[in-house]
Structures are given as C-alpha cells and as structure tokens.
Amino acid sequence: MRYVSLDTPKPISRIGLGTWQFGSKEWGYGPEYEQRAAQIVRRALDLGVTLFDTAELYGFGRSERILGAALGDDRAKVVLATKILPVLPIAPVVQQRAVASAGRLGVSHIDLYQVHQPNPVVGDHTTMRGMRVLQDVGLVGEVGVSNYSLRRWQFAEVALGRRVLSNQVRYSLVDRGPENDLLPYAERTGRIVMAYSPLAQGFLSGRYDAGNPPSGAVRRANPYFLPENLTRGAALIGTLREVAAAHDATPSQIALAYLLRHPNVVAIPGASSVEQMERNAAAAEIDLTDTEYDALLAAARGFQPVTGLAAVPRLLRRG
C-alpha cells in the first residue's frame, strides 16, 4: 500500500474503502452481505488500508455501526471518515450529529468529519463554527467537505479558520471535472481530493455491456448503464483492457491507477467481496507510463455518453 505524503496524525492510504453499500439494500447484495462486509474490512486492514469512509446517511446509520463493529479494537489505528447530512447544518446540529456518529462508530474521536454536500441556504460560516468547536474539544480531528466547488471549498476553509483537508467528489475516468481545478488546488495547497465512485459504480470494470447490464437500484439509476452508453463505452473499456494486460492487472485496477497518478488523490471504491478488496488495494502499486496514461485519457475523452436530461426518458422506460 502507498500513502499520501501529507502531514496528518495517521497515514492516509491511497486506496481506502467506501462503505455506502454497508447496510444499504439498494445495492442488491443480499442479506448475507453484512457478514461479508466485516470480512472485507478485516482484509482491508491486513492489506494496509487505513482510510475507511462512511456517512450517517448510508443505511440510515447502519453503515457506521457495521464499520465500527468490524474494526473493533483497530478503530484507533485507522483514519475513520464520516459525513453529516446537512439538512440544517447550523452549529448546534453539527455538534449533535457528530456525537451521534461517534456513538454508532464506537469511538470518542472522528478522524475526518465531512459535510456531505453543500447546503444551498445555510452558509458554511455557521456549519464551520460547529466544526471548529468539535475540533477544539477533541471529538473531530480534520474537517472535510464533499461535492463542493473549488470556490465553496475555499470559503469553507476561511470560515473554519483552519485547513479543510479534503473534498470528496465524484471522480473517475468518465467524470474528470475535478482535474480542471480541484486537483491543481489540492496539489498546490497540500489538500486531498477524495474520489468516490472511482470506477463509475462498476462501469469501468468491464463486467457489463449492453447484453449484460447490472442489477441493483443504484446502478439501474445510473445513466452510464443505459444500453446505448454501454455500447459507446466499448472503446474505453478496450483501452483499459489493453493497458491492464501489460500490467497483468484488471481494467478496474488500471482505472484506479489512472486516478492515483495524481499525488493528492485518494480513491475510496466499495467492495462486494474480499477478492475485490484485494484487487482494489493492489491498484495502489501500479505505475502507469506516460504513454499509457495518455492513451487512457484520449479514450476517456472519446467517450460521449447520453447523460443529463437526455437520459431521463430512457431511465424511466427501464423502470
């Protein structure tokens, strides 16, 4: 495993474990997945993974409980990251919700406490006032945000009066918007971009095509898995497979390696099995050549999916 070269109390692994699927039935993993989740967490620890990301929203608290229980006595050794759903993120509510998350996780200290998404009405000045109190009393270590624009990330840091260490955003080969401004800012200032959906919910794994679409409510609601987009993505998947063959790797591992070529990026893919966790962790050791990186970028730019409003009628027809 490799780790971010930043001054943090605990090392942050370049590959973490995202746990949205823990306790969340919409992924379609079945009732036995909760036991498997604990096995995935334990194997992640064995592999040197130190970053574990959850949220109070995931499974309405069940993800935090499952993760905390699986970590057990190792909770103090890892970087536990969770998120507040900012329905009314005024300072007292932020403090109350952090205490609740810590209780579900079974800890007295949250290493990274994040605002799940920007609130369009409540400004960050009051949210960050609550975060600052949580830091002052020792319940929270680092503060982070999620789904923030660069401008709002910078404003949140001004409001906190301290560094806002991370911004967790959708980032993958097919969602490269963060490369325009967030990544340069992170590298310039010693901050972290945390990539969620780094495999585009499995689109980049090469497991699916128009004749073999995924199941589960989450993926079925993702426009990338429309048959037309699965067909359009064939060239990109083909390039991933070519690069993967040169490294004796999988397309998913190459898609992760593409992100990790940027020094201030960490990726938090989920895992449906211990074997998938092992493959994800191994991606941290893959070094792409300049030629391979350029080929992947060119293939990604050539992928023109149907998204946004144009995708809505097709998604509705799928039911």
Side-chain angles (χ1 to χ4, degrees):
M1 181 53 63
R2 294 175 178 175
Y3 302 88
V4 180
S5 299
L6 288 179
D7 180 21
T8 53
K10 302 173 188 177
I12 299 176
S13 54
R14 299 296 307 279
I15 293 288
L17 176 63
T19 64
W20 176 11
Q21 67 275 24
F22 286 13
S24 300
K25 296 180 180 178
E26 60 266 28
W27 283 91
Y29 287 161
E32 76 285 352
Y33 182 71
E34 187 167 324
Q35 180 179 357
R36 200 184 321 147
Q39 297 169 348
I40 291 168
V41 169
R42 300 310 304 175
R43 184 58 179 145
L45 288 167
D46 293 340
L47 295 167
V49 172
T50 62
L51 176 60
F52 295 83
D53 180 78
T54 183
E56 64 176 10
L57 178 64
Y58 299 163
F60 301 103
R62 291 188 67 203
S63 174
E64 290 177 321
R65 292 190 184 95
I66 293 169
L67 176 60
L71 288 168
D73 293 340
D74 290 309
R75 283 173 289 206
K77 302 177 184 177
V78 304
V79 178
L80 266 178
T82 191
K83 298 181 282 293
I84 178 176
L85 182 66
V87 175
L88 184 64
I90 58 176
V93 173
V94 171
Q95 296 166 44
Q96 178 189 47
R97 300 314 304 157
V99 170
S101 280
R104 287 188 292 269
L105 287 164
V107 298
S108 59
H109 179 83
I110 298 172
D111 299 288
L112 176 61
Y113 196 40
Q114 306 156 95
V115 184
H116 207 145
Q117 59 191 38
N119 187 296
V121 177
V122 180
D124 289 303
H125 58 281
T126 182
T127 303
M128 292 301 156
R129 189 183 311 128
M131 290 288 195
R132 191 163 57 247
V133 170
L134 290 168
Q135 286 185 308
D136 289 344
V137 301
L139 183 60
V140 165
E142 299 283 355
V143 173
V145 293
S146 182
N147 299 303
Y148 271 45
S149 66
L150 174 58
R151 182 177 179 181
R152 188 146 182 181
W153 185 6
Q154 292 171 320
F155 182 81
E157 189 156 88
V158 171
L160 182 65
R162 301 161 183 170
R163 72 177 179 185
V164 174
L165 177 65
S166 60
N167 191 356
Q168 184 177 147
V169 293
R170 184 185 301 274
Y171 177 37
S172 71
L173 258 174
V174 294
D175 292 292
R176 300 186 320 282
E179 295 177 355
N180 297 329
D181 53 1
L182 298 182
L183 266 61
Y185 174 74
E187 292 182 25
R188 188 170 67 250
T189 61
R191 303 295 184 261
I192 294 172
V193 171
M194 193 181 301
Y196 73 79
S197 290
L199 301 175
Q201 296 183 350
F203 178 84
L204 296 169
S205 70
R207 293 171 53 196
Y208 307 110
D209 56 39
N212 180 37
S215 60
V218 173
R219 291 188 176 94
R220 287 187 62 80
N222 186 334
Y224 286 139
F225 293 106
L226 289 169
E228 182 176 354
N229 287 337
L230 287 167
T231 299
R232 292 186 181 194
L236 172 57
I237 300 303
T239 302
L240 281 166
R241 287 192 172 116
E242 290 175 9
V243 176
H247 291 268
D248 192 23
T250 67
S252 293
Q253 289 175 314
I254 298 303
L256 291 172
Y258 170 90
L259 302 183
L260 300 189
R261 206 165 188 267
H262 303 278
N264 288 64
V265 171
V266 300
I268 50 170
S272 61
S273 66
V274 168
E275 292 75 19
Q276 187 176 13
M277 182 69 251
E278 292 170 342
R279 290 192 297 270
N280 290 344
E285 305 297 332
I286 297 175
D287 293 312
L288 300 176
T289 68
D290 291 344
T291 300
E292 290 169 338
Y293 179 87
D294 291 343
L296 291 167
L297 183 57
R301 286 173 173 164
F303 174 52
Q304 300 294 325
V306 178
T307 58
L309 291 177
V312 172
R314 294 170 171 85
L315 290 171
L316 291 175
R317 285 198 294 270
R318 292 180 67 178

